[in-house]
Amino acid sequence: MNQSILFSDDLTVDLDNQCVRFSAQQMGSLINCLVLFSWLEEESGEPVCSQEKACEIFNHLRFDIEDTAEALIEDEEFNASGEIEIS
């Protein structure tokens, strides 16, 4: 794991945008990240039917999510809003 990218334990379920939001820090800069419910469902094989279920699946897949986000950050694959989006 690249120690220059640190992931915090913050986690927010965004029902309007069907995603879970979390953050990372790289060299002191805060990077907003999100993972779409559709990705969580595909990876887990379970439907995201509530905020609680979204958190449960996210936490179960946390290491995979962080690895994916780390690769996207290193490749500077930011979306139009300047966020890292796992979809």
Side-chain angles (χ1 to χ4, degrees):
M1 179 179 208
N2 184 340
Q3 292 300 313
S4 70
I5 299 173
L6 302 173
F7 292 93
S8 63
D9 290 333
D10 67 336
L11 175 62
T12 305
V13 177
D14 182 346
L15 292 175
D16 292 336
N17 293 304
Q18 298 287 289
C19 66
V20 177
R21 296 184 176 278
F22 60 104
S23 63
Q25 284 191 344
Q26 182 183 34
M27 298 183 342
S29 295
L30 182 65
I31 301 168
N32 293 316
C33 306
L34 62 96
V35 56
L36 297 179
F37 286 178
S38 58
W39 189 91
L40 293 173
E41 291 173 338
E42 184 176 317
E43 292 297 311
S44 69
E46 299 180 51
V48 175
C49 52
S50 67
Q51 287 183 322
E52 294 78 17
K53 191 64 175 178
C55 289
E56 178 185 320
I57 294 170
F58 181 95
N59 285 320
H60 180 72
L61 296 173
R62 181 178 288 273
F63 293 114
D64 293 332
I65 292 167
E66 289 179 358
D67 284 346
T68 302
E70 183 176 317
L72 292 169
I73 291 167
E74 289 174 349
D75 291 342
E76 298 182 9
E77 295 287 333
F78 297 93
N79 66 16
S81 299
E83 301 170 315
I84 292 297
E85 181 178 318
I86 300 171
S87 55

